[in-house]
Every structure is written in structure tokens, then in C-alpha cells.
Amino acid sequence: MHLRRSRRELLYGLLFASPWIVGFLVFTLYPMASSLYYSFTAYHITGPTQWVGLDNFREMFTQDPLFWVSLWNSVFYTVVSVPLDVAVALVLACLLNVPVPGRTFFRTIFFLPTIVPTVVTAITWSLIYSTQDGIANDLLAIFHIPAVPWLSSPDWAMRSLILMTTWSAGQTMIIFLAGLQDVPVHLYEAAKLDGTGTLHLFRHITLPMISPVILFNVVISLVFTFQTFAQPFIMTQGGPLNSTMLYPLQVYVNAFQDFRFGYASAEAWLMFVIIFGLTLLTLRLSRRAVHYS
């Protein structure tokens, strides 16, 4: 009787979970397995699929200079953007954690940009960065500063994309706010009785107590930042002079412009390996700095 009841409950559970299971198998697991297979082939939309083994990876490392350019751009973009995004979000969270009038309003204001679609954000910032009549250059003109070629100069295009990442720091800020509100108040009160200053409170109490939250935000930001595609695709198309040709954009070009799906699949799997390796490295380096108690 008990065994029959357990089987019935398992059947009902699988039945309720079946939409997600089917969706995962059809839209996630099968495409991943297919792309892994195609990464070892010369696959085009038209024509037969030919098994080439490791030729795609060999070409990637030895014959494709744009591969190294895009990989370096993505690494640079990630290494600079992630600390900047996390630092800005942490500062905002600390400021908005102070009990002052109107802090709910300001929390909402800083979080609102994160719910704006990425395409809309990219178009908006393209208008802001416009060399002619752009808001950014209009503001600089007020202070008699020469106009900056934000997106039209190889020296400024990547900096402009990195600066834009602070626009969406609100999502990370909300997570930091949740972590800050879990810090025991009595720790601050005891430290203040000993005459501890604000900076020492932040360094010796706040940072250690929210270190798991910091690690979480760093890992999540690293994973998503390395996969950035829409912003350079809409705003610069990888230019000027490939200065913003990020790795995901390079994968897209090979897949949907050159129709080299096998080669693009190989690049995509290498990106997976790189992100996985960077995540493991981050977790390993954080062991001594993160406190879970």
C-alpha cells in the first residue's frame, strides 16, 4: 500500500514537472548535444555535414586572428566591467541601506534600468553617445570640454561599453541590500562603543559578513558579462577596427553571417570551457576571503 502510494506521488510529481522536463530536453539538452557534435564537423545549412575532428579547434588557435582579438576583447571587458559593476552596486547598496527619508524611492529609481530590455538600453545609449547632438557630448560642452568620439574611435568604444555597464548595477545592488540587512546590528553597536570609525566598520564587519553575497555577485556577473552580445551588436557591430568585437559576437558572425555552424559551435563550446574555468578559479581564490559563519 505504501509503495503504491509512493509511486502515485512520484507519477503526479513527474506529471506536474513534465512541461519543464520536456522544455529542458528539447530546448536545452538536445541543442547542447547537437552543438557538441557539430563542433567536430564542417556543417553548413546547405550541403552535407562532414566530420573534421579537431580541425575547427586547430583553425581557431592557429589560423583565425580575429579569434584572438575577440577573446582578448571579452577578457578585458569582463575583467574591467565585473569589478566596476560590483563596486558601484555595493556603494549604492550601502548608501540606500541607511535609514533616510525617501530611500524606497531611490531604490526603485536605481533598480528600474534593470527591467528595461537590453535592445532598448543599447539604442538609448547609442543616442547618448552620439557624436553629433548626443547627450553626453552636450553635457561636456557645458563645461567647455571637447566632444568625445564615444563609439566612433577605437580608443573610446570599449571604454564606452564598459561605462554603460554601471547603468544596470541595480540588480546587483538589490542582492547586496538583502545581504546588508542580514548583518547583525549588535556587531555595529558593539564596535561603535569601542570608538570604531565608519571605514573600519565597513572593512572589518560589513565586508566579512556579506562576503558570500559578494562572491555570488562576482560569479554571476562574470558569467553574464563574458556572454555580452546585444550591446556591441547593436551599438558598434564590433567596430571600429574590431575594438568591440567581443567573443559572443564573433560566434554570431561565424554562425549567422558566414554560415559556418560547425566552426561557431566549436567557438561556443570553448567559451563554455573558459567561463567554467574562470568560475572555478574565482571560487578557489575566494576560499580564504569568504566567511560563511
Side-chain angles (χ1 to χ4, degrees):
M1 183 67 180
H2 178 71
L3 181 60
R4 185 182 302 173
R5 183 177 180 180
S6 299
R7 289 179 177 176
R8 188 184 301 113
E9 291 177 351
L10 176 61
L11 179 61
Y12 288 154
L14 291 175
L15 183 62
F16 279 107
S18 60
W20 182 89
I21 295 174
V22 172
F24 173 77
L25 294 176
V26 174
F27 298 109
T28 302
L29 188 60
Y30 174 73
M32 289 182 64
S34 297
S35 68
L36 181 60
Y37 166 74
Y38 288 131
S39 67
F40 298 102
T41 66
Y43 171 56
H44 301 269
I45 293 181
T46 59
T49 301
Q50 180 182 359
W51 181 269
V52 296
L54 297 176
D55 286 355
N56 286 328
F57 296 93
R58 190 177 298 110
E59 177 184 351
M60 195 185 307
F61 287 107
T62 61
Q63 302 176 22
D64 187 357
L66 195 55
F67 162 78
W68 292 107
V69 172
S70 62
L71 181 60
W72 164 250
N73 286 341
S74 281
V75 170
F76 179 80
Y77 179 78
T78 301
V79 168
V80 178
S81 295
V82 171
L84 178 62
D85 177 68
V86 172
V88 170
L90 180 57
V91 171
L92 290 176
C94 291
L95 293 175
L96 296 177
N97 194 45
V98 179
V100 295
R103 65 174 177 173
T104 303
F105 170 77
F106 288 106
R107 288 176 180 177
T108 305
I109 291 298
F110 283 111
F111 181 75
L112 278 178
T114 64
I115 65 176
V116 178
T118 305
V119 174
V120 177
T121 299
I123 295 175
T124 301
W125 277 91
S126 295
L127 297 175
I128 293 174
Y129 282 144
S130 177
T131 305
Q132 300 293 332
D133 300 325
I135 297 176
N137 282 335
D138 287 346
L139 291 175
L140 294 178
I142 296 175
F143 301 97
H144 304 286
I145 300 176
V148 175
W150 298 100
L151 299 177
S152 57
S153 168
D155 296 329
W156 280 98
M158 179 63 77
R159 302 176 189 177
S160 302
L161 291 182
I162 293 173
L163 180 62
M164 191 183 67
T165 60
T166 58
W167 169 263
S168 58
Q171 186 170 0
T172 309
M173 177 200 72
I174 291 296
I175 299 174
F176 274 132
L177 272 173
L180 289 171
Q181 292 174 5
D182 283 340
V183 179
V185 180
H186 66 83
L187 295 178
Y188 293 116
E189 294 174 346
K192 288 180 180 179
L193 289 176
D194 293 335
T196 305
T198 303
L199 292 179
H200 283 82
L201 289 175
F202 178 77
R203 178 182 177 183
H204 297 290
I205 296 180
T206 304
L207 286 181
M209 293 300 296
I210 67 169
S211 56
V213 182
I214 296 175
L215 175 62
F216 174 81
N217 281 329
V218 168
V219 170
I220 294 300
S221 297
L222 187 151
V223 171
F224 282 98
T225 301
F226 202 91
Q227 299 179 75
T228 299
F229 165 77
Q231 294 88 335
F233 176 72
I234 295 172
M235 299 173 67
T236 64
Q237 293 79 46
L241 300 178
N242 295 323
S243 60
T244 59
M245 177 62 74
L246 300 186
Y247 193 85
L249 184 56
Q250 163 73 351
V251 176
Y252 170 85
V253 169
N254 283 315
F256 298 104
Q257 291 185 7
D258 298 338
F259 300 108
R260 301 186 62 194
F261 290 100
Y263 187 71
S265 296
E267 288 185 318
W269 272 98
L270 180 64
M271 181 170 64
F272 168 78
V273 172
I274 292 173
I275 293 175
F276 186 74
L278 290 176
T279 303
L280 289 181
L281 179 63
T282 303
L283 294 174
R284 187 172 185 83
L285 295 177
S286 66
R287 288 180 179 178
R288 295 183 179 180
V290 178
H291 307 277
Y292 293 98
S293 58

